Amino acid sequence: MVNDEYPHWQTVPLRWKDNDVYGHVNNVVHYSVMDTVINTLLIERGGLDIETGEVIGLCVESQCKYHASVSFPGELEVGLRVGHLGRSSVRYEVGMYSKETVIAEGHFVHVFVDRESRRPVPVEGLLRSALEELRTGLG
């Protein structure tokens, strides 16, 4: 499910444990999927070193709107874009699809901070370049 709404796509397989007692993927899994897709991109394209880097991203806001249910077995096609890129923060916008159906849409806001002081730092270098590639002009 690749479309022009999102410049980055990642397939996330659903797992047996993602289903809840109602037989569909539990709502908390959608947040985990957003976090996984965002951080995979930051590590692979933005050079984020989650273990020892001086800069880390802290989630300060997240939201998810659910449109349809999905269940294991299956997979989610997850689209990612940047709606707003500030000096030290970024708002990601995420769409989760299964077989052309919108399952959920959400957003996730990171503030990048110094690992030790937890004070905001500018988004610079490779990290900023990776995020710029995902900008949509919406924010």
Side-chain angles (χ1 to χ4, degrees):
M1 170 72 216
V2 175
N3 64 39
D4 293 340
E5 289 184 64
Y6 299 96
H8 176 77
W9 288 89
Q10 182 176 331
T11 301
V12 177
L14 297 172
R15 304 159 306 171
W16 172 255
K17 73 177 192 168
D18 294 337
N19 283 0
D20 63 18
V21 297
Y22 301 114
H24 66 265
V25 170
N26 189 273
N27 60 310
V28 299
V29 174
H30 297 80
Y31 285 93
S32 178
V33 166
M34 284 194 287
D35 201 14
T36 297
V37 170
I38 290 165
N39 280 292
T40 298
L41 179 116
L42 294 176
I43 292 164
E44 291 179 353
R45 290 198 196 163
L48 188 68
D49 179 349
I50 60 171
E51 294 176 2
T52 62
E54 292 179 21
V55 174
I56 59 173
L58 299 180
C59 177
V60 297
E61 178 181 308
S62 63
Q63 179 214 5
C64 192
K65 293 181 182 178
Y66 306 97
H67 300 289
S69 77
V70 65
S71 60
F72 174 87
E75 59 190 21
L76 290 173
E77 296 295 332
V78 183
L80 177 63
R81 65 185 173 215
V82 168
H84 176 76
L85 179 57
R87 185 179 92 65
S88 62
S89 67
V90 60
R91 176 188 162 106
Y92 309 95
E93 297 169 351
V94 183
M96 293 171 250
Y97 295 79
S98 178
K99 299 178 182 150
E100 307 290 322
T101 300
V102 179
I103 302 302
E105 296 173 291
H107 74 260
F108 201 95
V109 177
H110 264 156
V111 172
F112 290 94
V113 300
D114 177 84
R115 179 184 295 273
E116 296 301 317
S117 72
R118 296 295 203 255
R119 302 297 305 156
V121 298
V123 179
E124 299 175 323
L126 188 59
L127 182 57
R128 186 162 201 93
S129 294
L131 294 173
E132 286 280 355
E133 290 178 14
L134 301 180
R135 282 183 85 164
T136 61
L138 299 175

